[in-house]
Amino acid sequence: MHWETISKDTAPGVPPNLADYERARSVFTWSQARTELAGLPGGGLNIAHEAVDRHTAAGLGDKVALRCVTRDNAVSTVTYGELAHRMARFANVLRSLGVGHGDRVFTLLGRCPELYTAVLGTLKNTSVLCPLFSAFGPDPVEQRLRLGDARALVTTAALYRRKVADRRTSLPLLEHVLIVGPGAEELPGTLSFDELMSAASDSFTIPPTSPEDMALLHFTSGTTGTPKGAIHVHEAVVAHHATAAYALDLHPQDVYWCTADPGWVTGMSYGIVAPLVHGVTVVVDEGDYDARRWYRILGEQRVSVWYTAPTALRMLMRATPREGPYDLPRAYDLSALRFIASVGEPLNPEAVVWGQDVLGLPVHDNWWQTETGCIMIANFAACDIRPGSMGRPLPGVEAAVLKQGEDGRALITDGGVTEVDRPDVEGELALRPGWPSMFRGYLHDKERYDASFADGWYLTGDLVRRDADGWYWFVGRADDVIKSAGHLIGPFEVESALMEHPAVAEAGVIGRPDPVAGNVVKAFVSLRPGIGASPDLERELLAFARRRLGPAVAPREIAFDQNLPKTRSGKVMRRLLRARELGLPTGDLSTLEGSA
Ligand code: ATP
Ligand code: MG
């Protein structure tokens, strides 16, 4: 690796060094982490109580919980006290509609204060919340409402009209549709969210809630196939709380911004639950991505901790290259910013260093999945960053690298002994179940759930390398890894090398079958603004990659494509690049960005 390790500075707020972390890790237990939360007065555990009521009970009712920035940059605030009242009202609304324990409540909303009310009120009522991405078309919306047995849906008139109205007859379980904002009276079969809210009482006692009660249903991103509905329980809040402290360095005085859409697990776990449980002020941005707007929010809202994704960072990198000039970021006062983290896809080393140069802070990559429910492996606050690495397992997380057996199933090598202590190994990342936010099943798909475990390990489907010091490096999804002339090639390594070329904005790499090599590496590349595709550039990029990666790993072919297919959560859909290349069926495209 030619990237240098970025050492931790000693900025205020940065917790212990690695030795302290190792100590914390050795004494950490989830049951101890559980004691840092309040629990319900009569026993049990409920996410809504931990996220809001706990703070109001501690006298923090006047603290700003949400700072909402509208599309036209108007800012409004909601305090913890107001949020407590609103969520209680919504819990009463659900109760009055006969929606109760375990019933599924879906949201189809952008980032707005009502989303927070609906999510927390649903959890308070011990119903189950399932967030949908508001840019989904009618098919994926219907598919998920059906799969998730939706009883209630909270949405807006415009979204309902476009995506749900003419599907109602095929969704007999969907009894209640609540329309946020105006328009309910013109839409048969719907109710006004606002009217119901103003009629409801703002006092509500949480019914008994077992930590094992289902709380959240999350559909995966669909990067590798049909999205799966992962079941999470109230106990997950223990993990959200602990991991946000370790991996995001959240402290009560922080102003925190998570750019993930609430339709994905990141936008829920770390956009809503974790920051509120920590009692911080959360920036809620209703607008769309725009480099200027984002720098403005970071500056004007005095954001101190920022959680975003590689795809977003790459967009910022396009707008503000490392080579400068830094006019755009310098136009805003980013001095409050002290911690940046990223998740969702591998973070190219280039992006980590870009953060250091342009924003004055490196980006801390971390790894987790819808299934794991919380951050598992991270370049956490206390450890040095190794650019391009996912980091190290958080306290309470036991990770291992497993080898593929002959029959294709992952087996633990060494006669059942894990490779935890062996340096520099490569294989499938596996996790020892037992952390609180571990998914409890795929809805209506026990077989798929059971197939995710072997010999007491949860198999993540991701291939990784663990270096001699215990840092994990993403190699690729098991489905995406390329076998070429006897080598196993991770697309990420090739993509990252290409991205170091100043002309390249993004890259997606696949294997194309080849009679001699088995597969050869083919790269699809999008270019920085103002740079045109040409045969010369293609030759230059091929040579550039060859110099960096060597002939066995470097791409043999490069195609230029300014619109790399991505999931709505921002991941390059290599399976679609491959299917298109090979003329194969494209499979489930419900999460493809730009699809209806
Ligand atoms: P599906 O399971 O439906 O194919 P998905 O796996 O993309 O979709 P998510 O649960 O949203 O759905 O994403 C988790 C996956 O994203 C991980 O398994 C991993 O492949 C990838 N990922 C997340 N964070 C990182 C990271 N920091 N580095 C590398 N890969 C990451
Ligand atoms: Mg997955």
Side-chain angles (χ1 to χ4, degrees):
M1 241 316 123
H2 55 283
W3 296 96
E4 304 268 309
T5 296
I6 296 180
S7 298
K8 269 278 36 112
D9 52 19
T10 46
V14 173
N17 58 30
L18 202 50
D20 291 336
Y21 159 75
E22 296 290 5
R23 218 168 303 126
R25 192 175 157 74
S26 68
V27 298
F28 181 94
T29 61
W30 287 112
S31 46
Q32 176 63 33
R34 164 76 170 76
T35 62
E36 290 176 25
L37 297 175
L40 290 175
L45 188 67
N46 185 296
I47 296 174
H49 180 77
E50 302 303 328
V52 184
D53 292 341
R54 186 164 64 98
H55 304 308
T56 53
L60 294 175
D62 291 335
K63 181 167 183 184
V64 173
L66 310 178
R67 212 185 281 160
C68 308
V69 187
T70 63
R71 276 171 204 279
D72 39 17
N73 297 316
V75 180
S76 61
T77 56
V78 181
T79 64
Y80 275 92
E82 288 163 341
L83 194 53
H85 285 149
R86 292 185 193 182
M87 78 175 188
R89 282 179 193 274
F90 189 67
N92 278 315
V93 167
L94 290 177
R95 184 179 277 175
S96 70
L97 295 172
V99 176
H101 183 89
D103 286 337
R104 314 281 154 71
V105 178
F106 278 59
T107 50
L108 180 65
L109 290 171
R111 281 172 288 247
C112 61
E114 290 83 359
L115 172 78
Y116 284 75
T117 307
V119 168
L120 295 163
T122 299
L123 295 171
K124 185 159 195 163
N125 189 45
T126 67
S127 305
V128 175
L129 193 282
C130 179
L132 295 180
F133 186 50
S134 59
F136 274 149
D139 285 348
V141 168
E142 180 187 339
Q143 182 193 21
R144 286 164 181 73
L145 288 170
R146 175 167 319 102
L147 247 169
D149 310 316
R151 265 200 84 193
L153 169 69
V154 184
T155 185
T156 63
L159 289 170
Y160 179 73
R161 220 177 268 123
R162 283 208 304 276
K163 306 180 188 225
V164 188
D166 64 358
R167 312 286 174 120
R168 272 304 273 284
T169 45
S170 58
L171 294 165
L173 292 182
L174 181 59
E175 286 171 59
H176 311 288
V177 174
L178 279 60
I179 301 291
V180 172
E185 56 291 349
E186 289 143 36
L187 294 168
T190 71
L191 300 163
S192 161
F193 174 91
D194 305 325
E195 277 174 25
L196 290 168
M197 284 288 283
S198 49
S201 151
D202 61 12
S203 123
F204 183 97
T205 305
I206 299 182
T209 318
S210 153
E212 282 303 311
D213 281 351
M214 184 170 166
L216 296 160
L217 176 66
H218 275 296
F219 287 95
T220 60
S221 290
T223 313
T224 51
T226 311
K228 299 150 274 190
I231 295 169
H232 291 284
V233 298
H234 280 272
E235 197 194 10
V237 68
V238 177
H240 295 142
H241 182 245
T243 54
Y246 279 106
L248 303 178
D249 197 26
L250 271 191
H251 287 71
Q253 68 278 15
D254 277 315
V255 175
Y256 168 81
W257 182 25
C258 169
T259 59
D261 190 276
W264 307 115
V265 73
T266 306
M268 174 64 65
S269 303
Y270 294 98
I272 301 181
V273 177
L276 294 178
V277 173
H278 276 272
V280 307
T281 296
V282 184
V283 172
V284 182
D285 170 32
E286 292 185 12
D288 295 322
Y289 167 80
D290 169 76
R292 177 172 293 278
R293 177 189 173 78
W294 277 26
Y295 285 125
R296 181 192 296 134
I297 291 178
L298 287 172
E300 289 180 356
Q301 300 309 320
R302 310 293 297 150
V303 171
S304 56
V305 177
W306 191 36
Y307 197 21
T308 186
T311 182
L313 289 166
R314 289 193 296 257
M315 285 192 284
L316 284 185
M317 288 163 72
R318 276 192 213 205
T320 36
R322 233 176 108 200
E323 301 77 45
Y326 301 160
D327 302 351
L328 200 49
R330 292 223 173 114
Y332 301 96
D333 175 7
L334 305 182
S335 60
L337 197 57
R338 63 171 183 79
F339 196 84
I340 307 175
S342 161
V343 73
E345 262 197 302
L347 183 68
N348 316 82
E350 177 73 19
V352 179
V353 178
W354 172 88
Q356 183 75 64
D357 287 354
V358 179
L359 303 175
L361 294 167
V363 184
H364 298 73
D365 188 18
N366 61 56
W367 178 98
W368 57 294
Q369 304 180 307
T370 308
E371 289 86 345
T372 70
C374 74
I375 301 168
M376 295 269 110
I377 295 182
N379 289 280
F380 44 83
C383 83
D384 290 346
I385 295 179
R386 298 198 170 177
S389 150
M390 298 161 16
R392 299 159 58 98
L394 288 183
V397 174
E398 188 187 350
V401 180
L402 308 186
K403 294 289 180 195
Q404 291 292 114
E406 286 290 292
D407 59 359
R409 260 184 52 134
L411 296 175
I412 299 167
T413 53
D414 297 345
V417 179
T418 72
E419 294 210 341
V420 171
D421 298 321
R422 218 198 287 168
D424 224 7
V425 285
E426 191 167 315
E428 183 168 4
L429 174 62
L431 301 162
R432 180 74 82 191
W435 68 94
S437 64
M438 171 66 173
F439 76 133
R440 303 300 201 262
Y442 288 125
L443 194 69
H444 305 316
D445 201 347
K446 182 160 175 356
E447 216 172 291
R448 214 157 160 189
Y449 177 72
D450 290 341
S452 332
F453 296 88
D455 299 334
W457 292 89
Y458 165 65
L459 310 175
T460 64
D462 285 348
L463 300 186
V464 296
R465 183 170 70 79
R466 193 188 57 240
D467 68 23
D469 303 321
W471 267 257
Y472 283 72
W473 301 76
F474 187 76
V475 173
R477 291 161 183 267
D479 294 0
D480 285 341
V481 167
I482 302 160
K483 292 194 182 81
S484 178
H487 298 277
L488 268 188
I489 301 172
F492 171 56
E493 189 181 6
V494 182
E495 290 159 9
S496 287
L498 284 167
M499 277 195 55
E500 286 169 34
H501 190 283
V504 176
E506 263 187 299
V509 162
I510 63 164
R512 190 175 56 65
D514 176 86
V516 180
N519 284 280
V520 292
V521 175
K522 174 161 185 176
F524 296 81
V525 158
S526 72
L527 298 173
R528 290 262 178 89
I531 296 174
S534 69
D536 276 355
L537 181 58
E538 182 184 346
R539 271 191 297 278
E540 187 183 320
L541 290 178
L542 287 170
F544 178 85
R546 241 177 124 85
R547 276 198 306 279
R548 284 183 183 234
L549 298 164
V553 177
R556 206 76 73 74
E557 279 176 47
I558 287 183
F560 296 105
D561 180 350
Q562 287 306 98
N563 294 305
L564 292 178
K566 297 216 193 130
T567 65
R568 292 188 189 279
S569 49
K571 300 161 199 262
V572 175
M573 257 186 178
R574 295 182 195 82
R575 74 175 158 97
L576 184 54
L577 286 172
R578 202 181 309 115
R580 284 179 184 165
E581 177 73 17
L582 307 181
L584 298 173
T586 50
D588 184 303
L589 294 186
S590 61
T591 61
L592 178 66
E593 191 181 61
S595 63

